[in-house]
Amino acid sequence: MDPALALAIFALGLAFGSFLNVCIYRMPQDISVVFPGSFCPQCKHHIRLYDNVPVLSWLILRGRCRQCQVRISPRYAVVELLTALLFLACYAQFGLTLATLKYCILGFLLLGLIFTDAETQLLPDKMTLTGLVLGLLFSLLVPVNDLVSQFLPGLVSLPGSGASWRLLSVLDALMGAAVGASFIYGAGAIYLRARGVEGMGFGDVKLMAMVGAFLGVRLTIFTIFAASIAGSLFGLWTLFIIWIKRTRRRMQRNHESAHDARHRAWQSALVALRGFPMPFGVFLGGMAMIALFYGNQFLRWYWRLL
Ligand SMILES: [Zn+2]
């Protein structure tokens, strides 16, 4: 790793992170990300260039707008820092290659989607569908090297030419997108039946089509399984917290016995969880990020285990 180049990539990541903040704020509201320039969400005052330096400006202004002193969410500095670390990690893992560019783009989109889903429960098409197209295009430049590439040449004899790996790679990306999308679509339908509320929307379907196009079938399945485990743990943890809080409240306010309070709080916690918006996009996006860096390692380890 060249330290000067690493520093430049880190700085580039900070700049892209700053742009990503604009996307996270504006895309769910359908405002252009280009025009107007950065403004304070409270007083709408134009933010000057010297107050718009990633991370540093936020620290110097102690997380407040220079004009109206309204608090600026630490999310701005966090996203900038995470994007810079992501770019650096891609460079460290894949070197100065097209693969680094591909995974920087995927990671950038995933970060944006994780934060928009957490803040607004929306996964903008401008990120997911653009990502799907980019993932398919990148399969022509960086081999996806998934099931089709590994097994199809053994099953049918293909004309051996330089172009054939690109064809196999595109097929891998298309299959990843199709499997990712249909898996989530099916899971969403089952979830709707079982719980009577919409758990996963089309945003999640498009998100997983994008992830599938970038990562191929195996890592897409890994992402979905890991995300469903993480989501279940999060659901149980939320249920537990609501239960504890309501039990305590019932004992203090209503002077119920511990046994009654626990029992009734459990019933009402179950009802409350039903209405709780589960941020599935956050788990899918987060696990896709882990799959990007560690998925293949995990799959190799898992195969050896079997
Ligand atoms: Zn302001």
Side-chain angles (χ1 to χ4, degrees):
M1 214 163 82
D2 179 1
L5 200 56
L7 198 68
I9 287 173
F10 188 81
L12 193 70
L14 286 175
F16 270 90
S18 184
F19 174 63
L20 190 56
N21 275 317
V22 176
C23 296
I24 292 167
Y25 177 74
R26 296 189 188 182
M27 278 183 175
Q29 303 181 58
D30 254 330
I31 314 176
S32 159
V33 293
V34 187
F35 186 82
S38 297
F39 58 86
C40 164
Q42 179 67 30
C43 65
K44 312 283 179 212
H45 209 96
H46 174 74
I47 296 172
R48 281 168 222 285
L49 214 57
Y50 57 79
D51 280 342
N52 212 357
V53 182
V55 186
L56 281 181
S57 290
W58 190 87
L59 290 174
I60 291 167
L61 296 170
R62 280 189 232 106
R64 287 179 186 282
C65 167
R66 190 188 283 277
Q67 259 69 36
C68 70
Q69 299 295 313
V70 74
R71 276 212 163 282
I72 305 289
S73 161
R75 188 259 287 162
Y76 286 86
V78 169
V79 166
E80 285 158 355
L81 208 56
L82 284 177
T83 312
L85 289 173
L86 165 81
F87 280 22
L88 199 59
C90 286
Y91 171 56
Q93 182 139 341
F94 305 105
L96 199 62
T97 59
L98 273 175
T100 295
L101 180 64
K102 168 179 166 167
Y103 293 119
C104 280
I105 291 173
L106 173 61
F108 175 84
L109 291 166
L110 288 174
L111 267 182
L113 288 160
I114 288 169
F115 279 90
T116 44
D117 193 40
E119 288 183 8
T120 64
Q121 279 100 46
L122 288 171
L123 297 164
D125 284 353
K126 277 180 191 158
M127 292 190 202
T128 52
L129 295 184
T130 312
L132 173 60
V133 172
L134 287 172
L136 294 175
L137 287 176
F138 261 102
S139 70
L140 286 166
L141 303 171
V142 182
V144 177
N145 197 21
D146 204 63
L147 299 176
V148 178
S149 301
Q150 286 170 17
F151 295 113
L152 194 65
L155 297 173
V156 287
S157 59
L158 293 159
S161 71
S164 69
W165 77 259
R166 291 181 208 274
L167 175 68
L168 292 171
S169 182
V170 171
L171 288 175
D172 266 327
L174 283 170
M175 198 157 100
V179 168
S182 45
F183 223 107
I184 297 297
Y185 184 80
I190 293 168
Y191 190 92
L192 182 63
R193 275 250 167 131
R195 287 186 52 185
V197 285
E198 191 152 297
M200 272 166 284
F202 273 104
D204 298 292
V205 172
K206 287 177 244 176
L207 165 65
M208 284 316 293
M210 168 189 119
V211 169
F214 271 99
L215 297 180
V217 172
R218 280 180 302 194
L219 291 181
T220 300
I221 292 172
F222 165 84
T223 300
I224 292 170
F225 274 97
S228 56
I229 292 168
S232 307
L233 291 176
F234 177 79
L236 282 176
W237 177 248
T238 310
L239 183 66
F240 183 72
I241 296 292
I242 300 175
W243 182 37
I244 299 286
K245 275 191 183 163
R246 294 197 174 179
T247 302
R248 226 178 265 157
R249 197 170 62 196
R250 280 180 170 273
M251 286 171 71
Q252 279 166 1
R253 274 202 215 148
N254 308 357
H255 306 289
E256 290 178 13
S257 73
H259 176 268
D260 283 0
R262 268 202 296 273
H263 180 73
R264 286 183 192 140
W266 178 254
Q267 296 302 327
S268 80
L270 283 174
V271 175
L273 189 71
R274 193 178 284 257
F276 188 82
M278 278 288 277
F280 281 110
V282 174
F283 297 112
L284 291 169
M287 290 305 156
M289 197 76 96
I290 288 176
L292 190 174
F293 289 107
Y294 304 108
N296 281 319
Q297 249 166 291
F298 175 84
L299 290 180
R300 268 197 299 276
W301 169 80
Y302 190 70
W303 281 126
R304 240 179 286 139
L305 219 66
L306 290 178

